[in-house]
Amino acid sequence: MRSLVSRLFVRPFYAQNAGTLLIGLLLAFGFMRASDHEALIDAALGSPMLLGFFMSLWGLYTLKAVAFVRSQLAAPEQLFFNAFRLIAAPVRGLIWLWVVVDLLIPILGYAGWMLFRAVRFAQWPAVYAITTAVTGLVTVSVIWVDYRLRHPSPTRLRLSLPSLPIPYLLFFPTYWLRKEPISLVLTKVSSGLLLVGVCLLYPTDDYDERLLLIGLLLAVLFHAAVSRQVSAFDRHYLLLLDNMPYSVWQRITQYLALYALIWLPELALLLRHCPDAVAVQYVLLLWLTGLGWLLLLHTLVYGRQVDPDRWLACLFATFVLGLLTIMAHVPASVWCALGWGATIVVSRFRRLPLRVAP
């Protein structure tokens, strides 16, 4: 039975999120030294706020994993699994425990590392907090998944809200918030916390501007799925968009405003936590660089059926090549010019799903 549920839930989850997990591993163990990790863990053990930050990340990851299992249970090809309800509750709970533990291996591994150091330095309040948090996440996940199995068609509470006109610029952000809130939260929270964490690393050592550029590269990669979501949204809900009387440059301006709106929180966080060693002008240049590369991703994906595995492979290769380029002291201005220049070239020489008004 364990091998069956592993094939149905665990392996597809890791295959679907391989790119995100790989980027997280590279971020955590690629350019951070072991002493940096130990210092970060020791600081978290002595700071309730920082420890709560770690637990919040664990909660977001757990939410994504459990949401994936619940979506798999609702998939048409998994309807045979409804017979699983006939198994005795204790046995069913044990099997769900296996699934949840396998899905939460990254969390359990890092929490175990923190517990080891907490016990070593006799940080008993942190030991109790981490143990309680991990136990609570696992228990709630098992109960939540089993409840979804026993209630395959739950009733939802719907609130009657006034209908307000929404401008075109907010069409996709509203859809993203209402239909895919987990994707929105994970994308923006991961990107924002990454940039803030990179900014907070500056006072701990003698870093130059390349560290912030590496953080920007990872933040852009965290938004790589947004371009595919925008394309799918337009293809599904705005079928007549190509026939609207908009010129090419009007459409490009609309997408430029859309991605600037999506990318705006990162600018606020960078300005708020800008290190003393980094000029504000450099922060603005970084934000413009990220916007250019987001538009490039949009131009490459929009209106096309992209193989997810090939897309993840390209993103991983881009990260490795970008990391090597940044370490070779290629300035942010060159990255900015490359992003915007490639966007213009690709838009000019590929067949865009845009029609010029007569």
Side-chain angles (χ1 to χ4, degrees), residues 83-96 146 149-150:
F84 190 63
R85 290 176 292 179
L86 302 177
I87 300 178
V91 178
R92 194 170 66 240
L94 180 60
I95 295 175
W96 284 132
D146 191 66
L149 176 68
R150 292 184 288 107

Side-chain angles (χ1 to χ4, degrees), residues 102-115:
D102 288 342
L103 292 176
L104 301 186
I105 285 177
I107 291 177
L108 298 178
Y110 202 83
W113 188 8
M114 296 182 70
L115 281 175

Side-chain angles (χ1 to χ4, degrees), residues 198-207 275:
V198 170
C199 291
L200 295 179
L201 281 177
Y202 272 82
T204 64
D205 206 337
D206 187 17
Y207 296 108

Side-chain angles (χ1 to χ4, degrees), residues 307-318:
D307 183 16
D309 295 334
R310 182 174 297 180
W311 181 244
L312 289 177
C314 292
L315 293 178
F316 175 69
T318 301

